[in-house]
Amino acid sequence: QSVLTQPPSVSAAPGQKVTISCSGSSSNIENNYVSWYQQLPGTAPKLLIYDDNKRPSGIPDRFSGSKSGTSATLGITGLQTGDEADYYCATWDPSLSAGVFGGGTKLTVL
Amino acid sequence: EVQLVESGGGLVQPGGSLRLSCAASGFTFSSYAMSWVRQAPGKGLEWVSAITGSGGRTDNADSVKGRFTISRDNSKNTLYLQMNSLRAEDTAVYFCAKGTNIVGLTPRLDYWGQGTLVTVSS
């Protein structure tokens, strides 16, 4: 049981938009920055979003992040088949003195 | 180019020990916190341990506290994870990952290695 809760799966058609939610608590998401990772099958995770809504260089602006209270959201517009992957949110939880990841969301582009 | 190359994984019996290494290159190793993150077969990511750039502070997940020790040798640009009292539930691919600043232990990790598989089984 992950400290951060994500939907197990989401799906949408190519060209459409999808959002992935990440629900936490006041001890983690609400007061700490959230990062998002993309993991393509058989590969290492890749940083997509950091500090709630910032994109590392090279990440297209189709990917966006937002946060409100104890929840964070990853948005992906203009879906491509290459976006099919597992997506994870992560943050620090000072009450645990530990990093925490969401359980992951599998994105299917139909 | 940043490179992180893990090694040291393999098959170990329950109760045994293993030391993982992560050789880093392409950046000033001592200027960045480093982390270990694991992924059990078919499961999600789990944060394991993190260490500041100087090595002066570490943190560990409750699931490994008292059994795993993270350390680093900045003269060798190498990160380590000493794993003792291994259990079947420690079976996973272990990734080392680079933090984005020297002191933050948060899982804001901008480069990852390809991982090394640890299998705990009799």
Side-chain angles (χ1 to χ4, degrees), chain A residues 92 97, chain B residues 34 47 49-52 54-61 65 68-72 79 103 105:
Chain A
W92 184 256
S97 205
Chain B
M34 298 291 294
W47 182 89
S49 294
I51 186 169
T52 55
S54 68
R57 181 188 165 190
T58 64
D59 270 312
N60 300 280
K65 212 160 279 188
F68 290 12
T69 302
I70 188 172
S71 64
R72 63 193 298 158
L79 176 72
V103 295
L105 300 183

Side-chain angles (χ1 to χ4, degrees), chain B residues 79-99:
Chain B
L79 176 72
Y80 302 101
L81 186 67
Q82 177 67 43
M83 304 185 294
N84 299 329
S85 302
L86 282 160
R87 306 167 180 167
E89 54 265 36
D90 296 319
T91 294
V93 173
Y94 285 73
F95 296 100
C96 79
K98 171 185 168 292

Side-chain angles (χ1 to χ4, degrees), chain A residues 2 4 12 17 24 29 33 39 42 44-45 51 53 65 72 79 99 106 109:
Chain A
S2 302
L4 306 180
K17 173 182 178 178
I29 285 181
Y33 286 125
Q39 188 177 32
D51 291 358
N53 54 22
L79 278 172
K106 182 175 182 60
V109 181

Side-chain angles (χ1 to χ4, degrees), chain A residues 2-6 22-25 28-29 34 89-91 100-104:
Chain A
S2 302
V3 172
L4 306 180
T5 301
Q6 298 180 232
C22 175
S23 177
S25 69
N28 44 61
I29 285 181
V34 174
C89 58
T91 189
V100 289
F101 280 90

Side-chain angles (χ1 to χ4, degrees), chain A residues 3-6 21-36 52 66-73 89-95 100-102:
Chain A
V3 172
L4 306 180
T5 301
Q6 298 180 232
S21 61
C22 175
S23 177
S25 69
S26 58
S27 70
N28 44 61
I29 285 181
E30 188 165 37
N31 294 293
N32 294 275
Y33 286 125
V34 174
S35 299
W36 287 91
D52 298 341
S66 63
K67 188 173 82 175
S68 178
T70 60
S71 291
T73 301
C89 58
T91 189
W92 184 256
D93 193 321
S95 70
V100 289
F101 280 90

Side-chain angles (χ1 to χ4, degrees), chain A residues 38-46, chain B residues 39 95 113-114:
Chain A
Q38 176 193 61
Q39 188 177 32
L40 297 169
T43 69
K46 175 182 179 181
Chain B
Q39 187 169 36
F95 296 100
Q114 286 307 300

